[in-house]
Amino acid sequence: MSLNDRLLLECPLLIAAIFICGIGGAYQYGVSISSMTSPSLFIQELVNITCIERYGVNLEQWQISLIWSFIVSIFCIGALLSALLANSIMSKFGRKKCLLLNSIPALIAAVLMLLSKTAMSFEMIMVARFLYGMNAGLGLIAHIIYLVECAPKRLRGAVGVTVASFISLGKFSGQLLGISDLLGTRERWPWLLSFTGLTSLVQLLTLPLLPESPSFLLLATGDRPACEQALKRLWGDGDYHLEMEEILKEKVVQQNAGTRTVLQLFRNQDIRWQLISVIVIFTTLQLCGINAVYFYSYEVFRQVGIGEKDLRYAALGTGLCELSASLSLFFIAQYSGKKMMLFRGYALMSVMLVLLTITMCLQTHLSWMPYCSMVLIFLFIFSFASGPSGASAPVPGELFTQAYRSAAFTVGTSLNWAGLFCVGMLFPVLVEKMAHFCFLIFLIFCVSTCLYVRFCFPETNNRSPLEIAAEFKKIHKSVKTPSNELTKNYGTLCETKF
């Protein structure tokens, strides 16, 4: 057992926080993404039947497809909207209250989904998807920030990657519940789409047992006794003088100001490379080709002889592969830092995309080539899940101090949702025009990010935001920060505080 494992076992409330925030945050996002595939035909039937009974109009297939695309895409619109509002909401209510309030849209959405078939209203599904999106957009940001601020510095990297594990678990749960033997039937699909209401209820009942973020209590509210009490509850009895001193050091850097806005984040030249890193990493997260590989997995499975009825079970294999890789992230993150995880992941994904393009071109010429494509698909998914998927999410929380943290997550997740929306709208066109050569477009993003991480991004594990900022200075000599003045101010503050 490693030192980090023993340290985590000494913090039982932190373990509880990981699970409570996970099932009410990242897990719900994963379920919402994957659960729509199984009942797609049933929902499209509901759309047409509703229009016939209500308006006497029998829709054409392109009209049904257009409405279906809107039902799927409105999830990203709701997520993007809530992500843009996340900074102000968390600054006003705090991390814990934000997570509590965020359960309400999910509960309302679950009720709408459950009643949509009985009410013969596909509009209720649209509203529910929008509310699920709002829940996911705000929940992901609050989930990550809360865990990063509650974990000891040595555990922040490992705790942060658990977000990816819950996303993968949610995706796999949505795929598993969506099979015809469970909830993926004409009668039971409303229960499938309302499942996340149950996890929201669990979070709503258990989250009050957890304390507020210690960093938020000290920097935003100035309540030092409450901060110290929260640290003791999360980490156990001990003297946390040095930890609180480090938090106060951030207060010096932010010059006793409150939470900064996204506009202030963009204007601050001292942290421009941190911001560029967030933009690069979160843009590539959706444009790395993972959705393209999942899409072509069905074609490859057909080529190797898997029947149409069994494709859904074969897809479970891809979900299980991603889940198993993401579950290993906690142990990988302890020995392999974020930089190595990102670099290695995108490097392997680049190689897999090149090989996939070649094998897809040769599929009709060689009978055994589809099997090679299938192996490459699983290797690509494993590379993504064990690298970029887990390493990307906590990056803003590690690069920025508390003043800029919410704004940085707002920028990163907004890019993530915008990228997901663009891929959803443009990917069918790319497939139609370029077929499997669309992999080459995603290859550009993977290679570019791989090179950026290798030469322009420092290691973040076991380092505070101020230590990481110093590493950025070493890499980018042109960045000038008034470090002497900050050190002087910090020394003055320590004399008055301690």
Side-chain angles (χ1 to χ4, degrees):
M1 184 181 294
S2 69
L3 177 62
N4 285 0
D5 295 333
R6 291 196 297 269
L7 182 60
L8 183 63
L9 290 176
E10 293 173 0
C11 309
L13 197 63
L14 180 60
I15 297 175
I18 292 172
F19 283 94
I20 292 172
C21 293
I23 61 172
Y27 178 82
Q28 296 192 150
Y29 161 66
V31 173
S32 297
I33 288 293
S34 63
S35 61
M36 290 298 289
T37 303
S38 177
S40 59
L41 292 177
F42 305 136
I43 295 175
Q44 291 180 53
E45 285 180 7
L46 177 66
V47 170
N48 194 34
I49 293 173
T50 301
C51 289
I52 291 173
E53 293 186 357
R54 192 185 300 168
Y55 308 112
V57 177
N58 189 4
L59 297 178
E60 297 182 20
Q61 185 56 47
W62 71 268
Q63 294 173 314
I64 297 175
S65 299
L66 182 63
I67 295 174
W68 166 248
S69 298
F70 185 74
I71 290 173
V72 174
S73 301
I74 200 172
F75 175 83
C76 296
I77 297 174
L80 179 58
L81 178 62
S82 64
L84 292 173
L85 297 173
N87 187 34
S88 58
I89 294 175
M90 283 191 290
S91 300
K92 182 177 181 180
F93 296 103
R95 286 55 166 137
K96 178 182 171 182
K97 287 183 180 178
C98 181
L99 285 167
L100 284 170
L101 293 172
N102 195 46
S103 300
I104 297 174
L107 291 171
I108 297 173
V111 174
L112 291 175
M113 284 292 193
L114 197 59
L115 299 177
S116 59
K117 183 182 177 184
T118 304
M120 292 297 292
S121 173
F122 63 88
E123 295 89 348
M124 292 172 68
I125 301 177
M126 288 183 182
V127 174
R129 285 286 291 175
F130 180 79
L131 292 174
Y132 274 145
M134 293 194 68
N135 169 265
L138 181 58
L140 272 177
I141 298 177
H143 174 191
I144 300 169
I145 292 181
Y146 181 77
L147 288 184
V148 168
E149 293 182 352
C150 285
K153 183 170 68 173
R154 187 175 179 85
L155 287 177
R156 281 174 192 165
V159 169
V161 299
T162 61
V163 175
S165 300
F166 279 99
I167 291 176
S168 300
L169 180 61
K171 288 181 180 179
F172 181 72
S173 298
Q175 291 174 330
L176 180 62
L177 292 172
I179 63 176
S180 56
D181 297 325
L182 296 175
L183 300 179
T185 65
R186 193 181 302 275
E187 295 77 23
R188 294 192 291 268
W189 66 262
W191 291 95
L192 169 64
L193 300 185
S194 61
F195 175 75
T196 51
L198 177 62
T199 56
S200 294
L201 185 61
V202 171
Q203 186 188 62
L204 193 63
L205 295 174
T206 56
L207 193 60
L209 302 176
L210 302 178
E212 179 56 272
S213 155
S215 179
F216 179 82
L217 289 171
L218 186 58
L219 296 181
T221 67
D223 193 343
R224 180 168 177 161
C227 172
E228 190 170 1
Q229 183 63 30
L231 288 173
K232 289 183 178 180
R233 287 188 63 194
L234 287 165
W235 304 352
D237 291 329
D239 183 10
Y240 300 110
H241 177 87
L242 294 178
E243 286 77 6
M244 295 181 69
E245 181 180 340
E246 188 171 286
I247 297 174
L248 285 171
K249 191 174 182 179
E250 293 187 15
K251 193 171 185 178
V252 177
V253 175
Q254 69 187 53
Q255 298 173 340
N256 298 318
T259 302
R260 302 300 179 93
T261 65
V262 172
L263 185 59
Q264 289 173 317
L265 173 64
F266 275 93
R267 285 177 174 175
N268 192 334
Q269 294 297 313
D270 293 336
I271 52 175
R272 63 176 179 177
W273 282 107
Q274 287 92 318
L275 178 60
I276 290 172
S277 299
V278 169
I279 292 173
V280 170
I281 290 171
F282 275 82
T283 299
T284 310
L285 193 59
Q286 289 300 333
L287 300 177
C288 64
I290 185 66
N291 297 298
V293 170
Y294 269 119
F295 176 84
Y296 273 105
S297 64
Y298 280 85
E299 179 182 331
V300 171
F301 291 149
R302 291 188 187 100
Q303 290 283 342
V304 297
I306 297 176
E308 291 294 327
K309 292 183 178 180
D310 297 324
L311 280 178
R312 199 173 295 172
Y313 298 95
L316 278 176
T318 60
L320 187 60
C321 176
E322 182 176 346
L323 176 60
S324 60
S326 63
L327 288 175
S328 66
L329 281 174
F330 180 82
F331 304 100
I332 295 174
Q334 298 184 53
Y335 306 105
S336 179
K338 296 289 191 308
K339 179 174 182 173
M340 181 54 65
M341 290 171 65
L342 288 167
F343 173 74
R344 180 180 57 210
Y346 281 121
L348 290 173
M349 289 163 66
S350 299
V351 174
M352 299 306 161
L353 286 176
V354 172
L355 295 177
L356 261 175
T357 304
I358 296 172
T359 57
M360 294 293 285
C361 289
L362 298 176
Q363 276 201 137
T364 56
H365 298 85
L366 298 171
S367 60
W368 49 269
M369 194 57 69
Y371 295 95
C372 294
S373 299
M374 185 171 66
V375 172
L376 289 171
I377 284 173
F378 281 102
L379 289 176
F380 183 90
I381 293 171
F382 187 87
S383 300
F384 173 77
S386 61
S389 175
S392 300
V395 163
E398 297 178 338
L399 297 187
F400 292 91
T401 59
Q402 206 247 353
Y404 288 99
R405 195 168 286 146
S406 298
F409 271 107
T410 296
V411 172
T413 53
S414 296
L415 288 170
N416 178 70
W417 294 116
L420 183 61
F421 180 79
C422 290
V423 168
M425 297 301 292
L426 299 178
F427 182 65
V429 179
L430 287 176
V431 171
E432 183 179 348
K433 299 295 183 182
M434 301 180 64
H436 42 264
F437 287 105
C438 68
F439 290 140
L440 299 180
I441 296 177
F442 302 118
L443 175 64
I444 295 172
F445 287 94
C446 287
V447 172
S448 299
T449 304
C450 179
L451 294 175
Y452 178 86
V453 170
R454 173 64 179 83
F455 296 106
C456 303
F457 188 77
E459 183 51 66
T460 62
N461 266 22
N462 301 328
R463 289 175 177 167
S464 68
L466 299 183
E467 292 170 337
I468 295 171
E471 288 297 315
F472 269 110
K473 284 176 60 181
K474 292 179 182 179
I475 296 173
H476 309 285
K477 300 294 185 181
S478 60
V479 178
K480 297 179 180 180
T481 54
S483 54
N484 293 334
E485 182 180 346
L486 290 178
T487 304
K488 181 180 178 181
N489 290 342
Y490 176 58
T492 303
L493 181 70
C494 288
E495 290 177 5
T496 57
K497 291 288 184 181
F498 303 105

mmCIF file of all heavy atoms in Angstrom, residues 316-333:
data_model
loop_
_atom_site.group_PDB
_atom_site.id
_atom_site.type_symbol
_atom_site.label_atom_id
_atom_site.label_comp_id
_atom_site.label_asym_id
_atom_site.label_seq_id
_atom_site.Cartn_x
_atom_site.Cartn_y
_atom_site.Cartn_z
ATOM 1 N N LEU A 316 -21.450 -2.591 -25.056
ATOM 2 C CA LEU A 316 -21.144 -2.683 -23.627
ATOM 3 C C LEU A 316 -19.667 -2.981 -23.403
ATOM 4 O O LEU A 316 -19.081 -2.565 -22.399
ATOM 5 C CB LEU A 316 -21.984 -3.791 -22.975
ATOM 6 C CG LEU A 316 -23.415 -3.441 -22.575
ATOM 7 C CD1 LEU A 316 -24.116 -4.677 -22.033
ATOM 8 C CD2 LEU A 316 -23.433 -2.330 -21.549
ATOM 9 N N GLY A 317 -19.066 -3.697 -24.363
ATOM 10 C CA GLY A 317 -17.640 -3.993 -24.252
ATOM 11 C C GLY A 317 -16.793 -2.738 -24.312
ATOM 12 O O GLY A 317 -15.809 -2.605 -23.568
ATOM 13 N N THR A 318 -17.172 -1.789 -25.180
ATOM 14 C CA THR A 318 -16.427 -0.528 -25.258
ATOM 15 C C THR A 318 -16.607 0.279 -23.978
ATOM 16 O O THR A 318 -15.664 0.887 -23.474
ATOM 17 C CB THR A 318 -16.877 0.305 -26.463
ATOM 18 O OG1 THR A 318 -18.285 0.611 -26.340
ATOM 19 C CG2 THR A 318 -16.651 -0.450 -27.764
ATOM 20 N N GLY A 319 -17.834 0.273 -23.448
ATOM 21 C CA GLY A 319 -18.083 0.980 -22.195
ATOM 22 C C GLY A 319 -17.330 0.361 -21.028
ATOM 23 O O GLY A 319 -16.799 1.067 -20.168
ATOM 24 N N LEU A 320 -17.264 -0.981 -21.018
ATOM 25 C CA LEU A 320 -16.539 -1.672 -19.952
ATOM 26 C C LEU A 320 -15.041 -1.412 -20.056
ATOM 27 O O LEU A 320 -14.350 -1.278 -19.037
ATOM 28 C CB LEU A 320 -16.819 -3.173 -20.036
ATOM 29 C CG LEU A 320 -16.274 -4.038 -18.909
ATOM 30 C CD1 LEU A 320 -16.841 -3.608 -17.566
ATOM 31 C CD2 LEU A 320 -16.573 -5.512 -19.165
ATOM 32 N N CYS A 321 -14.543 -1.304 -21.286
ATOM 33 C CA CYS A 321 -13.124 -0.992 -21.494
ATOM 34 C C CYS A 321 -12.794 0.392 -20.939
ATOM 35 O O CYS A 321 -11.793 0.567 -20.229
ATOM 36 C CB CYS A 321 -12.803 -1.050 -22.992
ATOM 37 S SG CYS A 321 -11.115 -0.568 -23.405
ATOM 38 N N GLU A 322 -13.642 1.380 -21.236
ATOM 39 C CA GLU A 322 -13.421 2.737 -20.725
ATOM 40 C C GLU A 322 -13.527 2.764 -19.204
ATOM 41 O O GLU A 322 -12.734 3.434 -18.531
ATOM 42 C CB GLU A 322 -14.433 3.701 -21.341
ATOM 43 C CG GLU A 322 -14.234 5.141 -20.904
ATOM 44 C CD GLU A 322 -15.174 6.112 -21.599
ATOM 45 O OE1 GLU A 322 -15.792 5.722 -22.608
ATOM 46 O OE2 GLU A 322 -15.290 7.260 -21.129
ATOM 47 N N LEU A 323 -14.485 2.039 -18.656
ATOM 48 C CA LEU A 323 -14.670 2.017 -17.204
ATOM 49 C C LEU A 323 -13.470 1.396 -16.503
ATOM 50 O O LEU A 323 -12.966 1.940 -15.514
ATOM 51 C CB LEU A 323 -15.940 1.247 -16.854
ATOM 52 C CG LEU A 323 -16.228 1.047 -15.366
ATOM 53 C CD1 LEU A 323 -16.371 2.390 -14.653
ATOM 54 C CD2 LEU A 323 -17.480 0.197 -15.160
ATOM 55 N N SER A 324 -12.987 0.274 -17.003
ATOM 56 C CA SER A 324 -11.854 -0.403 -16.363
ATOM 57 C C SER A 324 -10.601 0.467 -16.414
ATOM 58 O O SER A 324 -9.823 0.512 -15.452
ATOM 59 C CB SER A 324 -11.589 -1.750 -17.034
ATOM 60 O OG SER A 324 -11.295 -1.580 -18.410
ATOM 61 N N ALA A 325 -10.400 1.175 -17.536
ATOM 62 C CA ALA A 325 -9.235 2.053 -17.652
ATOM 63 C C ALA A 325 -9.348 3.235 -16.697
ATOM 64 O O ALA A 325 -8.370 3.623 -16.044
ATOM 65 C CB ALA A 325 -9.094 2.547 -19.087
ATOM 66 N N SER A 326 -10.541 3.812 -16.592
ATOM 67 C CA SER A 326 -10.715 4.986 -15.729
ATOM 68 C C SER A 326 -10.608 4.625 -14.255
ATOM 69 O O SER A 326 -10.162 5.434 -13.440
ATOM 70 C CB SER A 326 -12.071 5.654 -16.009
ATOM 71 O OG SER A 326 -13.143 4.785 -15.700
ATOM 72 N N LEU A 327 -11.012 3.410 -13.888
ATOM 73 C CA LEU A 327 -10.895 2.989 -12.490
ATOM 74 C C LEU A 327 -9.435 2.840 -12.059
ATOM 75 O O LEU A 327 -9.105 2.972 -10.876
ATOM 76 C CB LEU A 327 -11.630 1.662 -12.270
ATOM 77 C CG LEU A 327 -13.159 1.726 -12.295
ATOM 78 C CD1 LEU A 327 -13.766 0.337 -12.185
ATOM 79 C CD2 LEU A 327 -13.689 2.633 -11.193
ATOM 80 N N SER A 328 -8.572 2.584 -13.024
ATOM 81 C CA SER A 328 -7.148 2.457 -12.704
ATOM 82 C C SER A 328 -6.464 3.818 -12.596
ATOM 83 O O SER A 328 -5.298 3.893 -12.196
ATOM 84 C CB SER A 328 -6.444 1.630 -13.788
ATOM 85 O OG SER A 328 -6.447 2.319 -15.036
ATOM 86 N N LEU A 329 -7.188 4.893 -12.932
ATOM 87 C CA LEU A 329 -6.584 6.225 -12.941
ATOM 88 C C LEU A 329 -6.098 6.655 -11.568
ATOM 89 O O LEU A 329 -5.086 7.353 -11.447
ATOM 90 C CB LEU A 329 -7.595 7.256 -13.464
ATOM 91 C CG LEU A 329 -7.798 7.322 -14.975
ATOM 92 C CD1 LEU A 329 -8.921 8.284 -15.312
ATOM 93 C CD2 LEU A 329 -6.527 7.751 -15.665
ATOM 94 N N PHE A 330 -6.820 6.271 -10.523
ATOM 95 C CA PHE A 330 -6.439 6.692 -9.172
ATOM 96 C C PHE A 330 -5.022 6.217 -8.843
ATOM 97 O O PHE A 330 -4.226 6.945 -8.244
ATOM 98 C CB PHE A 330 -7.427 6.154 -8.142
ATOM 99 C CG PHE A 330 -7.106 6.542 -6.735
ATOM 100 C CD1 PHE A 330 -7.475 7.785 -6.240
ATOM 101 C CD2 PHE A 330 -6.409 5.680 -5.900
ATOM 102 C CE1 PHE A 330 -7.157 8.154 -4.937
ATOM 103 C CE2 PHE A 330 -6.100 6.035 -4.593
ATOM 104 C CZ PHE A 330 -6.479 7.279 -4.112
ATOM 105 N N PHE A 331 -4.704 4.996 -9.250
ATOM 106 C CA PHE A 331 -3.379 4.448 -8.957
ATOM 107 C C PHE A 331 -2.341 4.981 -9.945
ATOM 108 O O PHE A 331 -1.193 5.225 -9.575
ATOM 109 C CB PHE A 331 -3.434 2.920 -9.010
ATOM 110 C CG PHE A 331 -4.468 2.339 -8.095
ATOM 111 C CD1 PHE A 331 -5.711 1.935 -8.586
ATOM 112 C CD2 PHE A 331 -4.223 2.214 -6.733
ATOM 113 C CE1 PHE A 331 -6.670 1.410 -7.743
ATOM 114 C CE2 PHE A 331 -5.181 1.682 -5.883
ATOM 115 C CZ PHE A 331 -6.399 1.285 -6.384
ATOM 116 N N ILE A 332 -2.763 5.191 -11.213
ATOM 117 C CA ILE A 332 -1.834 5.739 -12.213
ATOM 118 C C ILE A 332 -1.422 7.149 -11.836
ATOM 119 O O ILE A 332 -0.252 7.533 -11.959
ATOM 120 C CB ILE A 332 -2.489 5.724 -13.611
ATOM 121 C CG1 ILE A 332 -2.738 4.285 -14.073
ATOM 122 C CG2 ILE A 332 -1.617 6.455 -14.628
ATOM 123 C CD1 ILE A 332 -3.502 4.183 -15.372
ATOM 124 N N ALA A 333 -2.386 7.955 -11.357
ATOM 125 C CA ALA A 333 -2.112 9.360 -11.048
ATOM 126 C C ALA A 333 -1.113 9.520 -9.910
ATOM 127 O O ALA A 333 -0.446 10.551 -9.813
ATOM 128 C CB ALA A 333 -3.417 10.074 -10.691
#
